[in-house]
Amino acid sequence: MILLTTATAVIYAQTEPSAVKLDSVIVHGNSSAGSLRISSDGSMLWDMQMMKSLPKILGDADPLHHLQQMPGISTNGEYDAGLHIAGFDNQHNRLSIDGTPLYGVSHLLGLFSIFNASHFKTMRFSKTIATAESPNMLGGEVDMLTHATRSDSITGEGAIGPISSQATVRIPTTQSSQLTLSLRASYMNLLYGSFLKNNEQSMRYSFYDANITWRNKMDESNSLVINIYAGNDNASMGITDMQTDIEMQWGNFMTAAKWIHVSEYFTLVNNTYFTRYHNNSRLDMPDLSVFLPASIAEVGNKLNISCSNWTAGIDASAYWIQPHMPEVRTSYEELHRGKVTTSAYEISAYAGRNYAISGTLSAEGGLRGTLYHCSSSTWIHLSPSLSIKWKLSHNTDISLGWSLRHQYLHQTGLSTINTPMEYFVSSGMYNIKPQSAHGISLMIRQSLLHNRYTITLEAYNRYVIEQSEYSGDIYSYLDADYSLSDLLHMGKGHNYGISLLLTKNKGRIRGWIGYTLSRAQRTYNTNYLNGTFPSSHDRTHELNAVVTTSLGKRWDVGMTLVYATGTPFTAPKHYSLLGQRLMAEFAEHNANRLRPVFRTDISINYHLHPVRYIKDHGINLSIYNMTAHENDIFYYMHWNEEEFRYTRMRFVVRVMPSISYYMKF
């Protein structure tokens, strides 16, 4: 918090899903599992059409926001842009479009992401990166998959909402190719400007994003997919009592070319890509101005070949990383440190095999070897993985997995809620070492009443090392000898938990309810931190429910409910003002917690009568936090001429209603 402290096709049979390496496509058989399908290894496929029935935030139903309502994924606050999976931080996840990675994927400080749901067919999600072909990350993997089938005519969909409008058009360009275009832009300040102000803070915000996908089936064996994404955000916030103005600008650009070759004997997928994320932040206080530019760019190539039960490949990437090197101006000096860009190189080779031990028992094992070089440091690591799957009966699956993973990128900065004021650094910079994690996971899945219901029980236990904690604040930048290595503390961690998910797959009413009991602990042995503490995103208890239903031909209703233990924070013991500079002595690290989070959202769709050329259109009414519960975001120091106190920061708008018009043609 700001305190002045990622080509797989899945073919579904009627009962047991099996994975086959093909193009990035979802082919559905006679499965009745609905829009959310959980495979025998715990990974999920989520049809993006379901987003139309779920509650919207200011007119937009976001895939990542609703993914947070699955058990094992921590609930976020309104300003938290992270995705915390199985106790890991947001930096440990790989988020991608058709396998191409992206960094910094949030809009509106976490209320929704850069992924425009209408552009994509399916979201593939795994809580555990635990196969040989998985990237060098510790946490989970989210891959947004584009449409693989060609339309016979021009089709599309769009929506007009209170802060943004969006449109997606699919154009068959030839008999074998299709172009998909999506555009989304906001005008939040026009309609919501007065609602984003109160006595203590004001906010202005705008964004846009654009997607282009061109898919060409060149012949019976070869296909080419081109993906382009570009987006940009501008946000500013003024905090009157702290006499502080914050300006943030961040954005992404990604382009990729994927070639898929399918023969009688093997499938080959080659993806060549470029991706870049940048952010520029400026903070102005009395007698102090700080400018913080940062960026990360990656050029890579991923080659995967699969045949029968084998898969193998080579991944190669080059990175250019610019961390924060603050430019500081005070009333008495200016510190111009200049931009520092560091290059890093990563190459991995892997192989894995799926082996049928018996008719009901199978095992999948793999090994990934990586060479990573940055500055004068080079590492060579082996990352093995093993999973065993047992089909106990027609309706019961059990999966047990173990893996050792390594990760070479770190994310850090002033914020602990994944705002644009954070940035990336590489192992090898500032004496930073690679992160690693090993552990086990267990999943038991039981179908009931002819697959009308599914119960999924999951448990995990993981140990992680070289976890970072940043101890600096805005005043640390005033030090002429400022160095990240002096403020970044490295330690180890332990993530463990158990979750239960009940899904209803058939009938007029569908949805799920999930509960998670988990802990994410970190241990440090430094002068600044000494002991074991909960991580800043640790939530002990979480309860989430999602329900959608149709009321006749015209009405659809969706509701969500969230309850979660509050996140930890470090409270001060003593504080005082020296001029305009805050001096504080803090109590034990993360020893206090915010109040529990509670939120209920509702969405109502009314389908209007069809008209010529329009298949479906209607009006959506959504209410975010309909009970107006006051959820804390963080604590901050409040002072003016009359008072001086440590108080809660809450979201500017307690209830966010929205009304939008949607259409599909």
Side-chain angles (χ1 to χ4, degrees):
M1 63 189 68
I2 306 172
L3 287 180
L4 301 176
T5 91
T6 97
T8 302
V10 178
I11 298 179
Y12 278 84
Q14 188 167 356
T15 56
E16 173 67 10
S18 59
V20 182
K21 303 296 176 182
L22 295 173
D23 188 7
S24 298
V25 25
I26 308 301
V27 181
H28 302 296
N30 297 322
S31 173
S32 60
S35 297
L36 177 65
R37 296 173 291 281
I38 305 174
S39 68
S40 59
D41 63 357
S43 60
M44 302 179 185
L45 284 170
W46 198 338
D47 192 329
M48 290 295 94
Q49 289 297 312
M50 187 178 180
M51 292 297 112
K52 294 178 173 58
S53 301
L54 294 179
K56 298 173 173 58
I57 303 175
L58 301 177
D60 199 310
D62 180 66
L64 295 192
H65 174 79
H66 288 294
L67 187 60
Q68 293 169 5
Q69 294 162 344
M70 299 300 297
I73 305 176
S74 295
T75 298
N76 284 358
E78 277 80 4
Y79 284 166
D80 193 335
L83 192 63
H84 308 294
I85 303 172
F88 286 107
D89 202 354
N90 182 69
Q91 63 167 309
H92 298 129
N93 306 317
R94 172 56 53 89
L95 290 90
S96 58
I97 294 177
D98 280 342
T100 301
L102 293 113
Y103 303 90
V105 298
S106 67
H107 279 319
L108 196 55
L109 303 181
L111 283 178
F112 46 92
S113 71
I114 66 173
F115 299 127
N116 185 347
S118 63
H119 188 83
F120 302 99
K121 172 61 178 177
T122 313
M123 176 172 64
R124 185 180 62 208
F125 166 65
S126 176
K127 296 180 185 176
T128 305
I129 294 180
T131 63
E133 64 182 291
S134 298
N136 288 319
M137 309 294 282
L138 304 186
E141 187 172 11
V142 179
D143 195 12
M144 304 299 297
L145 305 178
T146 57
H147 290 255
T149 57
R150 174 186 172 275
S151 301
D152 293 330
S153 60
I154 297 176
T155 62
E157 55 189 289
I160 301 174
I163 72 163
S164 67
S165 294
Q166 60 194 63
T168 297
V169 180
R170 300 178 183 89
I171 306 170
T173 50
T174 68
Q175 291 184 348
S176 60
S177 65
Q178 176 170 281
L179 179 66
T180 303
L181 305 172
S182 294
L183 179 65
R184 179 170 58 173
S186 76
Y187 34 84
M188 182 176 183
N189 300 318
L190 294 178
L191 299 180
Y192 275 79
S194 61
F195 292 96
L196 298 180
K197 299 179 181 179
N198 59 24
N199 293 331
E200 297 183 1
Q201 60 177 308
S202 61
M203 179 179 176
R204 294 186 62 83
Y205 177 77
S206 64
F207 76 89
Y208 80 87
D209 50 21
N211 293 82
I212 302 175
T213 299
W214 182 67
R215 182 179 292 266
N216 181 27
K217 186 175 177 60
M218 297 178 287
D219 53 43
E220 291 301 319
S221 300
N222 298 281
S223 298
L224 178 66
V225 182
I226 305 294
N227 268 306
I228 300 174
Y229 170 80
N232 197 76
D233 294 67
N234 286 278
S236 63
M237 178 182 295
I239 307 176
T240 305
D241 295 330
M242 299 170 65
Q243 302 181 60
T244 300
D245 291 312
I246 301 172
E247 296 182 1
M248 293 177 286
Q249 185 272 330
W250 67 99
N252 274 285
F253 176 80
M254 179 273 287
T255 183
K258 178 185 287 189
W259 170 50
I260 305 104
H261 174 81
V262 181
S263 74
E264 182 181 356
Y265 305 103
F266 67 90
T267 297
L268 183 149
V269 179
N270 189 85
N271 187 26
T272 303
Y273 61 89
F274 169 78
T275 183
R276 181 179 184 269
Y277 168 73
H278 73 277
N279 65 65
N280 296 299
S281 303
R282 181 181 296 277
L283 187 147
D284 291 303
M285 301 175 63
D287 301 320
L288 175 62
S289 178
V290 182
F291 178 54
L292 303 169
S295 65
I296 180 171
E298 178 185 353
V299 173
N301 189 86
K302 299 179 181 294
L303 174 65
N304 176 275
I305 185 169
S306 57
C307 58
S308 185
N309 295 321
W310 285 91
T311 184
I314 298 176
D315 297 345
S317 296
Y319 303 92
W320 292 268
I321 303 168
Q322 178 195 341
H324 278 171
M325 191 55 63
E327 299 181 13
V328 180
R329 178 187 56 81
T330 68
S331 58
Y332 56 89
E333 67 176 338
E334 292 187 8
L335 300 175
H336 295 285
R337 297 183 172 95
K339 296 181 180 180
V340 175
T341 302
T342 301
S343 58
Y345 307 92
E346 179 180 0
I347 184 168
S348 300
Y350 61 86
R353 188 189 180 194
N354 194 333
Y355 180 74
I357 301 174
S358 67
T360 59
L361 189 65
S362 65
E364 182 177 1
L367 183 65
R368 184 181 185 92
T370 299
L371 183 149
Y372 190 91
H373 175 81
C374 180
S375 300
S376 59
S377 300
T378 302
W379 289 273
I380 298 176
H381 288 129
L382 296 177
S383 302
S385 60
L386 177 65
S387 64
I388 299 174
K389 302 174 186 178
W390 183 23
K391 189 166 186 59
L392 188 61
S393 69
H394 179 75
N395 296 317
T396 307
D397 300 294
I398 300 177
S399 175
L400 179 64
W402 170 85
S403 65
L404 170 63
R405 307 299 303 180
H406 297 87
Q407 179 173 328
Y408 304 93
L409 296 176
H410 296 250
Q411 184 178 346
T412 188
L414 288 174
S415 158
T416 61
I417 54 176
N418 305 284
T419 70
M421 296 185 75
E422 298 186 25
Y423 54 93
F424 291 89
V425 293
S426 169
S427 299
M429 300 171 62
Y430 307 105
N431 300 316
I432 297 174
K433 297 179 181 180
Q435 307 175 71
S436 65
H438 72 92
I440 60 173
S441 60
L442 171 69
M443 191 201 76
I444 303 174
R445 185 183 62 173
Q446 175 72 51
S447 298
L448 303 172
L449 301 177
H450 304 286
N451 201 34
R452 184 175 295 273
Y453 297 90
T454 303
I455 299 177
T456 306
L457 175 67
E458 294 183 88
Y460 63 89
N461 186 39
R462 297 189 177 93
Y463 297 92
V464 293
I465 65 171
E466 298 300 329
Q467 300 303 285
S468 61
E469 189 81 15
Y470 182 74
S471 63
D473 56 30
I474 194 66
Y475 296 107
S476 301
Y477 294 149
L478 300 178
D479 191 341
D481 297 324
Y482 167 83
S483 175
L484 179 62
S485 58
D486 297 331
L487 300 171
L488 202 60
H489 307 274
M490 310 305 294
K492 58 184 179 180
H494 185 198
N495 303 339
Y496 58 94
I498 187 170
S499 64
L500 183 65
L501 174 66
L502 172 64
T503 60
K504 188 175 186 299
N505 310 312
K506 295 180 179 180
R508 183 179 294 273
I509 299 175
R510 301 191 183 194
W512 67 85
I513 183 170
Y515 168 75
T516 302
L517 171 64
S518 64
R519 295 306 307 271
Q521 297 179 318
R522 302 293 180 258
T523 301
Y524 300 92
N525 185 18
T526 68
N527 293 331
Y528 174 77
L529 290 175
N530 191 355
T532 298
F533 318 97
S535 72
S536 298
H537 58 270
D538 178 85
R539 294 190 186 272
T540 308
H541 303 281
E542 294 194 59
L543 178 66
N544 295 272
V546 175
V547 177
T548 64
T549 187
S550 296
L551 303 176
K553 296 181 179 180
R554 299 293 180 193
W555 298 91
D556 296 332
V557 179
M559 294 188 67
T560 64
L561 180 145
V562 175
Y563 173 85
T565 303
T567 53
F569 72 96
T570 305
K573 294 170 60 177
H574 310 286
Y575 49 84
S576 59
L577 278 176
L578 182 60
Q580 290 295 323
R581 182 166 180 175
L582 178 69
M583 309 295 291
E585 179 185 351
F586 287 90
E588 185 178 355
H589 184 69
N590 280 354
N592 302 84
R593 284 186 180 268
L594 299 175
R595 298 186 305 172
V597 172
F598 176 80
R599 196 185 74 246
T600 302
D601 312 324
I602 189 170
S603 174
I604 301 173
N605 289 330
Y606 177 72
H607 300 273
L608 299 172
H609 289 280
V611 297
R612 189 177 183 182
Y613 303 123
I614 298 179
K615 297 179 182 178
D616 182 29
H617 68 137
I619 303 296
N620 170 264
L621 172 65
S622 291
I623 304 176
Y624 180 83
N625 194 25
M626 61 182 296
T627 60
H629 187 82
E630 290 188 329
N631 293 313
D632 301 336
I633 300 174
F634 52 78
Y635 274 76
Y636 73 101
M637 204 64 65
H638 167 102
W639 74 85
N640 55 32
E641 296 179 354
E642 300 179 354
E643 60 179 343
F644 182 57
R645 58 188 171 87
Y646 197 59
T647 189
R648 300 181 180 96
M649 170 71 78
R650 298 188 176 100
F651 194 50
V652 178
V653 184
R654 290 174 59 182
V655 180
M656 287 194 294
S658 71
I659 186 169
S660 60
Y661 169 78
Y662 62 88
M663 61 174 293
K664 186 175 183 179
F665 61 89

